[in-house]
Amino acid sequence: MSANALFAPFALKSLQLKNRIVMAPMTRSFSPNGIPGADVAAYYRRRAEGQVGLILSEGTVVERPASSNDPNIPHFYGEQALAGWQHVIDEVHAAGGKMGPQLWHMGVMKEHRSGWKPSEAFEGPSGLFKPGETTGKAMSEDDITDTIAAFGRAAADAKRLGFDCLELHGAHGYLIDQFFWAGLNQRTDGYGGDALTARSRLAVELVQEVRRQVGEEFVISLRLSQWKQQDYDVKLAHTPQEMEAWLRPLADAGVDIFHCSQRRFWEPEFEHEGSDLNFAGWVKKLTGKTTITVGSVGLSGEFLAGFAGESSEPRSIDELLRRLDRNEFDLVAVGRQLIVDPNWVEKIEQGRSDELKGYSREALSTLV
Ligand code: FNR
């Protein structure tokens, strides 16, 4: 099978992409004092030169005092950090690329992330956040209002600096996901409760505010995951009906793209439905919105192991293409392969499989 489907252009509102490949957002911690410098701009520019269709930045934190625990994680506020991002997007555009920042707030993970060890986090049913353990300080309504305003300001800045779209990080157990998750959201006000739709209120209000700031034409992506770093087995939606109830209000609030985070793109989301559709497949089917899939594209060996250590056979690009051809999802995000190799996309397009590089963790120590 040819890789053509991956290289078909894609257009949504003001976003025009030359192909279907998205660089997944990946924290790199190379921005001292939260300021992305020339090396970060050059790193993203190399991915644009390497023909990545859409680059999503590493998570970049919005203006809340508690939003990050690592001084090298970039900010998306303040004159110097925004000047750094201006340079990033100018470099990406000069190389013909497209890019959106991933706006992030860690929530209680700020306290826990630095001490987090995978081997500890998955011991119990709720991992790091043990049942009954009170985690973090509940946000006041003023805190919530401030947070929504901070996301709104960051969104307006993303548009002003010339970014092509933006993404909200609603996945992996960070702030937005913490609200979705009954195990952590024990609020009794209008932002909590038994129903997932009630626990989605923060996300809905964030999306509404971001939409208000950027206007109708600017594309908003929302990254979601059923899994959490703190507990791989917790699922937010157990059936397509629950998933639709969760996502419909978010789509109505203004989400254009659901970026559906999975560890492996071939894992069926609802096996009991007798369907092999993955998370992005179900979300596209239920909402009619554009979806991005992700998870172990081009990876092999030890990196396919799940959190519980179970292994999986690598899947070929052909399997991905088969799913893209049947319109299961629209776009494909690639993470670790694009950390080790800025030219991965061109190699796939040109069938230069003998030149593909294997992923290794050492790659994280430099910006290749
Ligand atoms: C990630 N991932 C991630 N996700 C996210 O939404 N925001 C982020 O800032 C990060 N940071 C991050 C750092 C590093 C070093 C890795 C490896 C991953 C998850 C990432 O976007 C992607 O979903 C996974 O890596 C799975 O894709 P691959 O690597 O299997 O193609």
Side-chain angles (χ1 to χ4, degrees), residues 22-28 56-60 73 102 104 113 167-172 174 223-224 227 229 259-265 293-299 303-304 333-339 359 364:
V22 177
M23 180 174 179
M26 282 175 294
T27 294
R28 299 306 314 271
L56 292 172
S57 81
E58 62 207 285
T60 170
I73 284 178
Q102 189 193 49
W104 189 20
R113 197 168 172 266
E167 177 163 285
L168 301 173
H169 193 348
H172 307 166
Y174 292 106
R223 197 167 218 223
L224 299 174
W227 62 279
Q229 291 182 76
H259 186 172
C260 303
S261 173
Q262 279 187 286
R263 298 297 305 270
R264 308 176 186 115
F265 72 83
T293 195
V294 68
S296 303
V297 174
L299 284 183
F303 299 106
L304 291 183
V334 178
R336 286 165 287 179
Q337 287 295 344
L338 282 171
I339 283 186
Y359 176 74
L364 293 176

Side-chain angles (χ1 to χ4, degrees), residues 22 26 32 35 53 82-83 115 118 130 150 167-168 202 217 234 249 261 265 274 300 306 333-334 354 364 366-367:
V22 177
M26 282 175 294
I35 300 163
L82 291 176
K130 299 193 173 57
E167 177 163 285
L168 301 173
L202 174 73
E217 275 304 299
V234 173
S261 173
F265 72 83
S300 58
V334 178
D354 51 326
L364 293 176
T366 52
L367 289 176

Side-chain angles (χ1 to χ4, degrees), residues 106-109 173-181 184-185:
M106 289 186 188
V108 294
M109 284 289 273
Y174 292 106
L175 183 79
I176 297 172
D177 202 15
Q178 285 158 25
F179 271 74
F180 288 143
W181 181 14
L184 267 190
N185 182 345

Side-chain angles (χ1 to χ4, degrees), residues 22-171:
V22 177
M23 180 174 179
M26 282 175 294
T27 294
R28 299 306 314 271
S29 296
F30 281 94
S31 300
N33 301 314
I35 300 163
D39 54 346
V40 173
Y43 161 81
Y44 285 118
R45 181 180 177 135
R46 284 192 288 279
R47 274 73 191 162
E49 289 168 347
Q51 305 303 316
V52 172
L54 174 64
I55 297 168
L56 292 172
S57 81
E58 62 207 285
T60 170
V61 295
V62 300
E63 187 178 9
R64 290 282 303 165
S67 58
S68 157
N69 58 6
D70 174 347
N72 297 307
I73 284 178
H75 298 167
F76 209 81
Y77 61 88
E79 211 175 304
Q80 284 179 292
L82 291 176
W85 283 117
Q86 179 74 73
H87 186 50
V88 171
I89 187 59
D90 289 349
E91 288 291 305
V92 166
H93 282 165
K98 302 281 165 117
M99 184 170 186
Q102 189 193 49
L103 304 180
W104 189 20
H105 187 309
M106 289 186 188
V108 294
M109 284 289 273
K110 182 195 177 249
E111 274 92 68
H112 288 280
R113 197 168 172 266
S114 54
W116 179 70
K117 297 196 192 75
S119 57
E120 287 170 6
F122 300 100
E123 270 173 14
S126 296
L128 183 65
F129 302 108
K130 299 193 173 57
E133 181 182 309
T134 306
T135 307
K137 170 177 130 336
M139 290 167 81
S140 67
E141 295 224 349
D142 282 351
D143 292 336
I144 290 177
T145 305
D146 289 353
T147 299
I148 291 172
F151 273 93
R153 276 195 301 278
D157 283 333
K159 186 175 177 191
R160 182 175 57 79
L161 296 181
F163 281 95
D164 303 286
C165 62
L166 64 80
E167 177 163 285
L168 301 173
H169 193 348

Side-chain angles (χ1 to χ4, degrees), residues 97-351:
K98 302 281 165 117
M99 184 170 186
Q102 189 193 49
L103 304 180
W104 189 20
H105 187 309
M106 289 186 188
V108 294
M109 284 289 273
K110 182 195 177 249
E111 274 92 68
H112 288 280
R113 197 168 172 266
S114 54
W116 179 70
K117 297 196 192 75
S119 57
E120 287 170 6
F122 300 100
E123 270 173 14
S126 296
L128 183 65
F129 302 108
K130 299 193 173 57
E133 181 182 309
T134 306
T135 307
K137 170 177 130 336
M139 290 167 81
S140 67
E141 295 224 349
D142 282 351
D143 292 336
I144 290 177
T145 305
D146 289 353
T147 299
I148 291 172
F151 273 93
R153 276 195 301 278
D157 283 333
K159 186 175 177 191
R160 182 175 57 79
L161 296 181
F163 281 95
D164 303 286
C165 62
L166 64 80
E167 177 163 285
L168 301 173
H169 193 348
H172 307 166
Y174 292 106
L175 183 79
I176 297 172
D177 202 15
Q178 285 158 25
F179 271 74
F180 288 143
W181 181 14
L184 267 190
N185 182 345
Q186 292 163 4
R187 303 180 71 94
T188 51
D189 63 4
Y191 292 93
D194 289 341
L196 181 50
T197 42
R199 302 193 304 273
S200 298
R201 180 173 160 196
L202 174 73
V204 166
E205 291 185 359
L206 276 174
V207 172
Q208 286 168 336
E209 173 60 12
V210 167
R211 174 59 71 209
R212 207 173 65 78
Q213 293 291 338
V214 299
E216 272 311 309
E217 275 304 299
F218 196 79
V219 166
I220 301 174
S221 168
L222 175 63
R223 197 167 218 223
L224 299 174
S225 61
Q226 288 263 44
W227 62 279
K228 284 97 188 51
Q229 291 182 76
Q230 304 91 334
D231 191 339
Y232 190 57
D233 292 327
V234 173
K235 277 202 169 203
L236 294 170
H238 299 91
T239 63
Q241 292 73 24
E242 283 180 15
M243 185 173 274
E244 189 170 13
W246 173 33
L247 300 182
R248 177 59 51 201
L250 292 163
D252 291 346
V255 171
D256 297 303
I257 300 179
F258 286 106
H259 186 172
C260 303
S261 173
Q262 279 187 286
R263 298 297 305 270
R264 308 176 186 115
F265 72 83
W266 54 90
E267 281 174 347
E269 187 55 49
F270 299 119
E271 260 177 320
H272 53 271
E273 296 287 325
S275 159
D276 70 345
L277 286 183
N278 73 10
F279 183 24
W282 275 104
V283 174
K284 184 172 167 67
K285 180 181 159 105
L286 294 169
T287 65
K289 293 285 177 185
T290 296
T291 61
I292 308 177
T293 195
V294 68
S296 303
V297 174
L299 284 183
S300 58
E302 60 173 307
F303 299 106
L304 291 183
F307 280 128
E310 81 280 16
S311 62
S312 181
E313 288 300 311
R315 298 298 166 99
S316 64
I317 297 289
D318 281 356
E319 157 119 29
L320 187 72
L321 290 171
R322 185 177 65 73
R323 290 170 180 265
L324 192 56
D325 273 341
R326 74 178 187 190
N327 214 17
E328 185 170 343
F329 37 74
D330 304 282
L331 300 166
V332 174
V334 178
R336 286 165 287 179
Q337 287 295 344
L338 282 171
I339 283 186
V340 285
D341 190 356
N343 299 311
W344 184 86
V345 176
E346 288 176 314
K347 291 177 184 172
I348 293 294
E349 184 172 21
Q350 295 161 11

